[in-house]
């Protein structure tokens, strides 16, 4: 999502239109050209399509306590707190795309956020779906807040870094600060 917001060559409207109209012919290979991985939204909304194009890819499925997931979604990506029409156009375009795909699409709309049980079921169903689709040898299930380099690095075929702390960023409580940083970076471009 950060690249869609900060990189002026990114076109969030392509994802938005592809989500709204499944018959649109999207050149997914070109859209992801230059990337070795896809993380988070909007890519997760196109998981089946992207996986079908790359059936031998490695998939890292991050999981966590569903209650904590719901709490985080409710405070962050669901509404983009503090973002208004005074923000840079690239941020507003990304927010519009996120509203179409995430809030109003995958999460069922503004009134559905209060339906915690349904959203948690959807969260759990997604996890089970990914587990059922991805070849076991290509799937790593990574427990947020518990698993670290020692589990991730062997799966990726790289050495565990000795002097690099395992990243712990993008927490729900930090989301509005992250948005402010994004605004500052966007305004300076």
């Amino acid at each position: 999502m950060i690249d869609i917001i900060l990189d002026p060559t990114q076109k969030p409207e392509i994802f938005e239109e592809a989500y709204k109209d499944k018959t649109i012919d999207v050149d997914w290979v070109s859209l992801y050209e230059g990337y070795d991985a896809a993380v988070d939204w909007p890519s997760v909304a196109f998981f089946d399509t992207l996986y079908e194009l790359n059936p031998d890819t490695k998939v890292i499925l991050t999981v966590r306590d569903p209650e904590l997931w719901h709490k985080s979604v409710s405070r962050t990506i669901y509404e983009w707190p503090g973002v208004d029409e005074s923000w840079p156009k690239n941020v507003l375009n990304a927010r519009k795309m996120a509203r179409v795909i995430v809030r109003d699409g995958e999460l069922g709309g503004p009134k559905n956020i209060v339906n915690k049980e349904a959203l948690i079921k959807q969260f759990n169903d997604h996890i089970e779906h990914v587990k059922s689709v991805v070849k076991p040898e290509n799937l790593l299930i990574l427990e947020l807040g518990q698993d670290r380099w020692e589990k991730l690095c062997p799966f990726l075929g790289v050495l565990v870094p000795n002097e690099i702390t395992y990243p712990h960023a993008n927490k729900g409580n930090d989301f509005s600060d992250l948005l402010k940083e994004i605004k500052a970076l966007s305004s300076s471009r």
Side-chain angles (χ1 to χ4, degrees):
M1 183 71 85
I2 294 290
D3 281 356
I4 286 181
I5 298 169
L6 293 178
D7 182 350
T9 67
Q10 296 289 317
K11 304 290 182 216
E13 60 274 6
I14 293 173
F15 290 99
E16 183 180 336
E17 292 306 315
Y19 189 81
K20 290 193 284 190
D21 183 353
K22 309 292 188 231
T23 66
I24 291 175
D25 188 25
V26 176
D27 184 356
W28 294 104
V29 173
S30 293
L31 192 60
Y32 283 89
E33 188 175 350
Y35 289 91
D36 294 326
V39 179
D40 207 6
W41 302 105
S43 297
V44 70
F46 302 100
F47 169 77
D48 289 319
T49 300
L50 295 172
Y51 188 71
E52 189 175 302
L53 290 171
N54 302 283
D56 293 319
T57 195
K58 292 187 175 196
V59 174
I60 301 167
L61 176 63
T62 55
V63 297
R64 63 173 152 171
D65 179 283
E67 295 281 337
L68 295 176
W69 170 82
H70 182 268
K71 184 177 180 182
S72 175
V73 165
S74 301
R75 292 189 323 232
T76 60
I77 189 70
Y78 198 81
E79 198 49 53
W80 291 49
V83 176
D84 61 30
E85 298 308 311
S86 70
W87 283 56
K89 185 173 174 54
N90 57 318
V91 175
L92 296 177
N93 289 343
R95 180 184 69 171
K96 180 177 181 282
M97 182 257 331
R99 283 183 170 172
V100 168
I101 294 174
V102 183
R103 186 189 74 182
D104 299 340
E106 296 296 299
L107 299 180
K111 294 183 178 163
N112 204 36
I113 196 67
V114 297
N115 191 347
K116 183 166 100 172
E117 290 173 3
L119 283 177
I120 287 176
K121 180 182 181 322
Q122 186 176 338
F123 172 80
N124 289 326
D125 288 350
H126 172 75
I127 291 168
E128 294 308 313
H129 173 68
V130 171
K131 288 178 182 178
S132 73
V133 171
V134 178
K135 299 172 189 173
E137 65 272 18
N138 291 340
L139 178 63
L140 173 67
I141 299 171
L142 202 63
E143 181 82 28
L144 292 182
Q146 293 182 19
D147 295 327
R148 300 277 188 255
W149 292 127
E150 293 73 23
K151 188 169 182 180
L152 177 62
C153 292
F155 178 74
L156 296 175
V158 297
L159 296 174
V160 174
N162 291 327
E163 298 180 18
I164 301 174
T165 305
Y166 191 81
H168 195 269
N170 199 12
K171 294 186 73 153
N173 293 338
D174 302 332
F175 192 71
S176 62
D177 290 338
L178 175 63
L179 287 174
K180 289 174 191 169
E181 288 177 36
I182 289 169
K183 181 179 184 181
L185 286 169
S186 297
S187 298
S188 68
R189 291 178 182 234

